[in-house]
Amino acid sequence: METVEFWNARFGTEAYAYGTAPNDFLQQMAEHIPTRGRVLCIAEGEGRNAVYLAQQGHRVSAVDISAAGQKKAERLAREKGVVIDYHLSDLDQFDLGEGRWDAIISIFGYIGRDAVARQSVYSELQKALTPGGVLIVEAYHPEQLNYNTGGPKESDLLITLDELRGAFDKDAVLHAAACERNVIEGVHHTGPAFVTQLVYQKPM
């Protein structure tokens, strides 16, 4: 699993490693986020998704381990005329709270060292949502190892649809898919990719 030093090096260049445009899947699913919701973006890196959501009128916080990512996220927010509350922390050390967030966003984030560790993370994320709050996840699927267009090379960091489905009440899942789609995000996500997607809405 990549270290703080790895991410600081990746985000320490002038250019944005994954671009400044928001993730396509997030844009498609953002309509599910309550109006002016309190939103947390985890493993947020250089801030492209957090800034986009702040532009939509949400109250946005972000958490990531990279100080270089934080610096660029805050710069991007200033350039776009919005404010995000960025926390420099490992997710394991960050207090998610209970019933605190109207939406939690995880876009290509490394949210656990393997599938077993991620089960406890999924549980904490559900607790952290308000009733009616949504969790939006897009991650690389193990099939992505055959594509060479981005994402981790460690199979333990890749997420299957079965893993996500198994962590959430199926009756509360608004969208679930494992599919190929074109991902063009900066220089590190660069073409056809195989992804896992899930949108979960916590019951009222």
Side-chain angles (χ1 to χ4, degrees):
M1 194 166 181
E2 280 80 356
T3 62
V4 173
E5 291 75 21
F6 172 90
W7 291 113
N8 280 334
R10 174 152 291 186
F11 298 148
T13 61
E14 182 64 23
Y16 281 74
Y18 300 100
T20 58
N23 171 268
D24 289 341
F25 177 65
L26 174 60
Q27 291 184 80
Q28 293 165 13
M29 297 297 163
E31 65 183 19
H32 296 294
I33 301 174
T35 302
R36 294 191 56 78
R38 189 169 185 186
V39 180
L40 176 67
C41 297
I42 61 178
E44 177 53 14
E46 298 167 305
R48 61 197 175 95
N49 296 310
V51 167
Y52 162 74
L53 291 168
Q55 289 178 297
Q56 308 313 303
H58 299 300
R59 295 163 291 165
V60 184
S61 297
V63 59
D64 196 281
I65 60 173
S66 171
Q70 178 184 26
K71 182 178 179 180
K72 288 169 80 174
E74 292 174 343
R75 184 178 79 192
L76 182 62
R78 288 193 300 271
E79 290 172 354
K80 299 296 185 180
V82 297
V83 175
I84 59 173
D85 182 23
Y86 200 112
H87 301 266
L88 191 62
S89 175
D90 188 287
L91 186 60
D92 289 343
Q93 304 301 316
F94 181 72
D95 182 12
L96 289 166
E98 187 166 338
R100 182 178 179 187
W101 307 101
D102 297 305
I104 299 175
I105 313 299
S106 176
I107 301 296
F108 298 128
Y110 302 172
I111 59 174
R113 66 183 180 276
D114 55 35
V116 173
R118 283 191 292 272
Q119 292 305 310
S120 62
V121 177
Y122 299 144
S123 177
E124 291 303 310
L125 294 177
Q126 290 178 68
K127 290 177 185 176
L129 287 171
T130 59
V134 296
L135 172 67
I136 299 174
V137 178
E138 183 166 60
Y140 282 116
H141 185 279
E143 283 291 324
Q144 177 64 12
L145 292 174
N146 299 319
Y147 283 72
N148 197 33
T149 55
K153 304 304 181 186
E154 300 173 47
S155 59
D156 281 347
L157 298 177
L158 302 167
I159 300 177
T160 66
L161 184 57
D162 284 346
E163 177 186 325
L164 278 181
R165 282 188 179 278
F168 300 92
D169 178 359
K170 67 179 187 304
D171 292 331
V173 171
L174 305 181
H175 170 91
C179 60
E180 181 183 284
R181 77 171 188 89
N182 212 37
V183 179
I184 306 295
E185 300 176 339
V187 298
H188 295 287
H189 293 167
T190 58
F194 207 94
V195 299
T196 302
Q197 303 170 336
L198 182 127
V199 179
Y200 161 84
Q201 185 171 40
K202 186 173 180 177
M204 298 293 288

